[in-house]
Amino acid sequence: MTTAPSLIDPLLMRQTMGRFATGVAVVTTEFDGVPHGMTVNSLTSVSLDPPLLLVCFNHGARSVEAVTTAGGFVVNVLSRRHQEIALRFARRGEDHFAGLGLEYEGHRVPVVPQALAHLECDLERTVEAGDHTVVFGAVTGVCTREGDPLGFYGGRFSDIVPHGQALDPWFF
Ligand SMILES: Cc1cc2nc3c(=O)[nH]c(=O)nc-3n(C[C@H](O)[C@H](O)[C@H](O)COP(=O)(O)O)c2cc1C
């Protein structure tokens, strides 16, 4: 796919998309006995039936090769207690698991303990898009726990505070 040269500077694009508040997750995988993990906020739910999600990996990310070669990964949705974990798994070129005990909690690959959700995925497909590889995951297992989410807004970690009212379960 060829893309026309952009009139929008990449930094302006990042700053503008930074106005879209997100949660924060770590994608973990393991290949040849070596664990890999990376902090992401490009996580998107794609389809409910079948259950599909996507994560965008920049072309410099080491984890994308591990994810595609391993053929599977877990999305760990972080709680507000996980800011250090988010920073650890965002440091470029470092061994993100150095000094961490590996916890599997029944999954095929190491997971982040106390995450608000674990979504176990088989690699469904990858799509090259601009300077990122879009990785689609077919969700094969989920578990959730109560807690406060870690948010990301304007390039900073932030809290996500619920409003009082509950939405009808069929609001979508
Ligand atoms: C809050 C936050 C969200 C991030 N989201 C993404 C993302 O969605 N995709 C991406 O490629 N990098 C993202 N990054 C940057 C990667 O975590 C970082 O480049 C990481 O070190 C790459 O892993 P590597 O060292 O294995 O290449 C994010 C960083 C932070 C702090």
Side-chain angles (χ1 to χ4, degrees), residues 14 22-25 36-43 55-64 86-94 96 132 151-152 157:
R14 174 179 284 182
T22 67
V24 184
H36 298 266
M38 173 173 146
T39 301
V40 298
N41 72 334
S42 56
L43 171 65
V55 178
C56 303
F57 290 78
N58 79 68
H59 281 162
R62 294 170 301 160
S63 305
V64 70
L87 288 171
R88 161 189 277 267
F89 282 93
R91 284 190 197 107
R92 289 208 150 210
E94 289 194 17
H96 294 143
H132 278 61
F152 193 65
F157 295 114

Side-chain angles (χ1 to χ4, degrees), residues 127-157:
V127 175
E128 295 303 314
D131 56 8
H132 278 61
T133 302
V134 186
V135 172
F136 288 79
V139 181
T140 58
V142 294
C143 58
T144 59
R145 77 162 36 80
E146 292 303 313
D148 298 321
L150 180 61
F152 193 65
Y153 178 73
R156 295 164 198 251
F157 295 114

